[in-house]
Structure formats: C-alpha cells, structure tokens
Amino acid sequence: MPEEIIGSCAVKRLNILDPQGNADENLLPPLNGQDIRRLYELLVLSRTFDGRALALQREGRLGTYPSILGQEAAQVGSAFALEKSDWVFPSFREMGMHITLGYPMHLLYQYWAGDERGLATPTGLNILPICVAVGTHIPHAVGAAMAASYRGDRNAVVCYFGDGATSKGDFHEGLNMAGVFRAPVVFICQNNQWAISVPFDRQTAAPSLAQKAWGYGFEGIQVDGNDIFAVYRATRTALEKARNGGGPTFIECHTYRIADHTTADDASRYRPPEEVADWREKDPILRLRRFMTQRHLWDEAYERHVQEEATAAVDEAVHRAESAPKPAATEIFDYTNAELSPRQQRQRKEVG
C-alpha cells in the first residue's frame, strides 16, 4: 500500500516589533497610547524591582533569588492580556507577571527573604503560590482548567514555566491531558536558552519547543519573547480560544536570561560573554522605548518620571517587607491540620 501523510508539524513564529523599534503595522495589537505607556511603565517597574532584589540579596537581606533580567516582556506582555477571572500557575521566575497583575511587591520581597507569608495571595487575585520544583505545577494547572470546563466557567488558566521544564515528566503528562480533554489552558514557556548550565541544544533535538504541542494534539506557536506586542497578541488570541472552547495553546517565548540562573549561580563559567552581549542588544525595554519615541510617546522627561515612580514604589515595598512584624509561633499550627492531635494541642499551648 502507498504511504500517506496523516499530519504535519508546522510552527509559526510571530514577530511584530524589531530591535530597532520598527513595527509591522498589520500585526500591531489594538493598544492605544495609554496602554503602551502602561506596558512600558510595568517593564521599568519590573526591572527596578528585580535590580533591587539582586542588591538586597548581596547585602544578606534576601535569600537566593532568580533574576528576570531580559525576560520582562514575556511576563508583562502575557499578563497584560489576562482577564481578572483567569487563573495563573507560576513557576519561580515570574515577578514581572505578579507585578503586572497587581500582586503587592512587598509580599514578593517577603517571600524571597524566607517569609512564607509573602505567598498569601490577596483576595481578588487568582494567582497560585510560586512553584520552585521544576514543572510539577503543570498537571495542577491542567486540572484547574478541566475543573473550570466542567463547571461551565468562562475562565482560562495560564501556566508559566521555563525550557528546562519541558524535559520533565510532569510537562508531558500535563500537555497530554490538556490535549485529550481540550482543557482551557495556555502554556507559556519562557525559553531563555539555558536550563541552569544546560544549553537549549542539549535540552532537546527539536528546533522549537512549540512543536512539542503538536504531539499532544493542539497548537504551538513561537513568539519573539523580547517583543512585548507579539507576546501580548499571541496570549490574547490563545486566551480567547481557550475561553470559547477551542482548547489549549502552547506559546514559546524565545528570550534570554541575561543574569545568572539565580544568585547561587555563576553563568560566566559556562556561557560565552559574546552571547550575552548579543542578547543585550535585543533588550525588550530599549526596543519598546525606540518604538514609543517614533510615536511621540517617550521623551527624557517622561523617562525620569517613570524611573522616579518605580524607585519610590520599590523603596516603599522594601520598607513594608522589612517592617513586617514577626509571625506568632502559634501560626505553625493554624494551617497544618484540619484538627490538631492532643499532642499538637499541648504544643500549641506551650508556645502560645
């Protein structure tokens, strides 16, 4: 019998804004000048938060911290597309997403300083706790999306992770379930080219991570992760599809980790400096600034204002985080068991 083709895997790549700030007018998303300025301000605020976190860690005021330097557009652009009713499952490198959705920055500083109260998500924000274990939250996100579908809720779920997570079993199990049950979930992979010291070409033989979605029966798309308009447009399209019963989407944000993996890492031991220098030229903030300059949305006075506002907000967040009263010792008993055993009851009295 003759051979026949039963399917083919073609992955689209979306670019709208190039490194010089030139945009494809036909692909620009429907954002007005106020929206674009808000995106820029969120990028600057995220980077200011990140820079202060690195400084605080070096001063011994924070624990190990994973910088988002260079990845701000992938986070801000995607989060800006969400509706308030959508649910978010983050990994450990999404501070830009948290900030965009209104998560209090002082709580983020508390968390990275080792205070678990920093993960007490305020009412009204559908953000699950930060997941440090690589990829283990992916099946949970799919489960939440399936639950929303069964309930008839018009909600979508967004799950963030890095390229390293695509080599974990949780990733494949989660995507398989999402495809089979057409779950309303959007997978956002920040492919920053390095899973700690493992380069992309040692992570997979595939030319794109987005094509992995094809094996599970749904669409995968690659976007320029430093192009905030491309990230926003792709995420918005995927969310609308998910809410309308179209099933999951995998978005690969092709970006770069400018800083070390965490403050416990030294990337100079395994990463060529010319590679880092090349990616610095693709900086997402500089790219948007060039676009805004062309549209008369940016000037030096505006820049000073944005930087001053970001610095003041970060200063206040650091002060609030470090001024937080110490938790009562009895709190360890309050959220551990539904009912305390007689021994735990005695212990609670002893520390109370």
Side-chain angles (χ1 to χ4, degrees), residues 307-344:
Q307 292 288 350
E308 289 170 359
E309 289 286 313
T311 300
V314 166
D315 286 344
E316 181 185 5
V318 172
H319 175 73
R320 288 190 63 182
E322 297 189 331
S323 300
K326 293 182 183 291
T330 53
E331 283 190 15
I332 194 172
F333 298 98
D334 293 341
Y335 308 104
T336 306
N337 302 89
E339 295 181 8
L340 298 181
S341 67
R343 180 182 179 186
Q344 290 171 323

Side-chain angles (χ1 to χ4, degrees), residues 170-206:
D170 299 283
F171 168 84
H172 298 281
E173 292 169 12
L175 265 67
N176 188 56
M177 289 289 287
V180 169
F181 291 97
R182 310 302 294 165
V185 57
V186 178
F187 300 103
I188 297 182
C189 175
Q190 296 177 81
N191 178 6
N192 63 20
Q193 313 304 310
W194 289 91
I196 308 183
S197 60
V198 179
F200 176 76
D201 61 3
R202 297 298 299 273
Q203 191 74 237
T204 179

Side-chain angles (χ1 to χ4, degrees), residues 193-311:
Q193 313 304 310
W194 289 91
I196 308 183
S197 60
V198 179
F200 176 76
D201 61 3
R202 297 298 299 273
Q203 191 74 237
T204 179
S208 165
L209 295 174
Q211 71 185 97
K212 295 182 184 292
W214 185 86
Y216 298 111
F218 57 92
E219 180 186 9
I221 180 174
Q222 184 184 92
V223 303
D224 183 337
N226 289 11
D227 174 354
I228 197 165
F229 294 146
V231 175
Y232 171 79
R233 181 180 177 122
T235 307
R236 181 178 175 181
T237 299
L239 288 169
E240 289 175 354
K241 183 175 75 172
R243 297 188 195 106
N244 292 321
T249 303
F250 183 102
I251 301 174
E252 176 189 4
C253 295
H254 193 254
T255 183
Y256 195 77
R257 190 192 78 216
I258 296 293
D260 300 325
H261 175 69
T262 69
T263 50
D265 174 45
D266 179 6
S268 67
R269 298 177 62 185
Y270 55 80
R271 200 167 60 176
E274 57 271 16
E275 179 180 286
V276 180
D278 179 61
W279 276 92
R280 284 189 182 277
E281 295 299 316
K282 304 173 185 177
D283 183 276
I285 296 181
L286 181 57
R287 183 180 304 198
L288 183 57
R289 184 187 304 164
R290 288 168 174 163
F291 170 84
M292 293 171 66
T293 301
Q294 296 176 13
R295 304 297 175 102
H296 305 290
L297 293 171
W298 183 95
D299 56 32
E300 292 185 359
Y302 170 70
E303 179 68 18
R304 285 194 297 272
H305 172 74
V306 172
Q307 292 288 350
E308 289 170 359
E309 289 286 313
T311 300

Side-chain angles (χ1 to χ4, degrees), residues 87-95 97-98 103 108 119 121 126-133 135-138 141 157-162 188 190:
W87 287 84
V88 181
F89 284 71
S91 65
F92 58 86
R93 201 189 301 274
E94 277 83 48
M95 279 63 77
M97 174 277 294
H98 282 91
Y103 198 98
L108 293 174
L119 291 188
T121 305
N126 296 340
I127 304 175
L128 275 289
I130 290 170
C131 180
V132 176
T136 59
H137 62 307
I138 297 175
V157 173
V158 175
C159 183
Y160 289 90
F161 49 87
I188 297 182
Q190 296 177 81

